[in-house]
Amino acid sequence: MKNVNIVGVPEHFNLPWHLAMEDGAFEDRGIALDWTDVPEGTGKMCQLLETGKADMAIILTEGIIKSISQGNPSKIVQEFVSSPLLWGIHVAADSERSSIASVQHDKVAISRMGSGSHLMAYVNAQNQGWDPEKLQFEIVDNLDGAVKNLTEGSNAYFMWEHFTTKPLVDNGTFKRLGDCPTPWPCFVIAATDSFLKDNRGVLGHILDIINTYTLEFKEIPSIDRTLSNRYGQQLEDIQEWLGKTSWGQQQMTPKTLEGIQSRLFELNLVEEIKDSSRFLWK
């Protein structure tokens, strides 16, 4: 058996991986896929790839592109979720603020620097016509840290995936002021250069399996109920999310990559636009 260490967020997007593992699909190909949930998100996963503590990651597109641009020895091997991610913009439920415009001068609670919650704050600021250079941040590690930060009076706002935080809006922990969708495919599969160097065949098997599962995912009987039960979501919310979400089975195009790099460069989040060969595995 070939051991492969893979990391991802503990969210509904990654259920296809867990179903494949529960079915023994990877073991049937001689692969022991060791999955680790990383609730801290993309910034932490970039660190795990960079230090060789993970071989692969299911990771936010903007985060891994910034990290690779800054020297992370990894590659994007394929898109995973090709649709945008809907980032909810949240404040404490008892806050008097009631619009995105009302948080312009407030700090942003983020999981860590280089995370999606960090980078998308810049995209949102630009969308709103604010000066992204004036953003200030408070690091809260993960969603639980954000709950503590906001409810204990920090007056920060917090950006996280709309449907993951929906139960916290419903139960009166957060108030959502609006949403900010990513202007690109939201999740990719990434792997370290050292893993890719010696495991082309293994990676081919892994992609074959996960692509089969994602291609057929929405057709699984009662998949909406399964997702609702496993992730503590209202059934109607899961049904709305399924309608908005599409999984990809192909490598990202150089044109898409260039567009993302250009936006990050415009926001001073990367120093230069680099050739696609630095980012995309072939």
Side-chain angles (χ1 to χ4, degrees):
M1 297 288 279
K2 171 65 181 178
N3 290 305
V4 179
N5 295 314
I6 186 168
V7 294
V9 290
E11 295 176 8
H12 37 292
F13 295 93
N14 285 325
L15 183 58
W17 289 97
H18 297 290
L19 295 180
M21 286 185 282
E22 289 162 15
D23 289 345
F26 297 105
E27 290 180 5
D28 289 347
R29 304 269 191 116
I31 299 166
L33 202 67
D34 184 8
W35 179 281
T36 302
D37 279 333
V38 181
E40 298 92 340
T42 288
K44 176 68 172 179
M45 288 191 282
C46 286
Q47 185 183 62
L48 293 172
L49 289 172
E50 192 158 14
T51 57
K53 292 180 180 175
D55 300 312
M56 298 180 64
I58 316 307
I59 194 163
L60 288 175
T61 304
E62 61 274 18
I64 190 61
I65 289 176
K66 174 178 168 61
S67 187
I68 292 172
S69 185
Q70 293 176 325
N72 189 332
S74 301
K75 296 280 190 299
I76 294 168
V77 299
Q78 188 193 289
E79 289 183 6
F80 180 60
V81 178
S82 296
S83 47
L85 192 73
L86 196 61
W87 288 84
I89 301 166
H90 308 87
V91 294
D94 60 1
S95 171
E96 294 181 356
R97 293 162 295 172
S98 59
S99 67
I100 298 175
S102 66
V103 299
Q104 178 177 353
H105 304 294
D106 298 333
K107 287 187 175 181
V108 194
I110 62 171
S111 55
R112 66 182 56 215
M113 305 303 279
S115 67
S117 53
H118 172 224
L119 303 182
M120 284 302 297
Y122 285 91
V123 173
N124 177 62
Q126 190 180 53
N127 289 349
Q128 298 298 323
W130 307 342
D131 182 357
E133 298 296 324
K134 292 185 177 178
L135 290 173
Q136 293 182 293
F137 302 99
E138 293 184 356
I139 296 174
V140 298
D141 295 328
N142 52 33
L143 182 55
D144 289 341
V147 170
K148 187 173 188 295
N149 179 273
L150 267 62
T151 58
E152 291 182 358
S154 74
N155 214 45
Y157 64 97
F158 176 65
M159 297 178 65
W160 208 256
E161 197 271 327
H162 174 108
F163 294 95
T164 303
T165 50
K166 179 66 160 48
L168 292 167
V169 174
D170 291 343
N171 71 14
T173 302
F174 286 165
K175 174 166 59 175
R176 187 189 311 111
L177 305 179
D179 293 303
C180 178
T182 59
W184 42 66
C186 62
F187 281 105
V188 295
I189 304 171
T192 65
D193 289 347
S194 57
F195 175 78
L196 292 170
K197 181 173 178 286
D198 299 317
N199 294 287
R200 179 174 286 270
V202 172
L203 180 65
H205 285 306
I206 292 172
L207 295 181
D208 282 347
I209 292 164
I210 194 59
N211 288 340
T212 298
Y213 274 76
T214 58
L215 199 61
E216 302 170 353
F217 185 68
K218 291 187 183 183
E219 309 309 317
I220 297 172
S222 300
I223 191 59
D224 53 350
R225 295 187 183 280
T226 300
L227 284 157
S228 174
N229 291 333
R230 287 182 71 145
Y231 293 94
Q233 301 272 352
Q234 295 292 327
L235 186 60
E236 58 267 28
D237 293 333
I238 283 293
Q239 290 167 343
E240 181 184 351
W241 172 76
L242 281 169
K244 294 176 181 292
T245 303
S246 58
W247 283 265
Q249 290 83 28
Q250 305 293 327
Q251 177 60 294
M252 178 178 287
T253 66
K255 183 177 180 182
T256 298
L257 173 68
E258 184 180 349
I260 299 167
Q261 283 197 84
S262 295
R263 188 74 181 266
L264 295 177
F265 178 73
E266 191 180 324
L267 289 164
N268 294 319
L269 294 171
V270 296
E271 292 182 357
E272 59 180 316
I273 297 171
K274 298 182 178 180
D275 188 79
S276 64
S277 62
R278 180 66 195 87
F279 301 88
L280 303 179
W281 177 76
K282 294 182 180 179

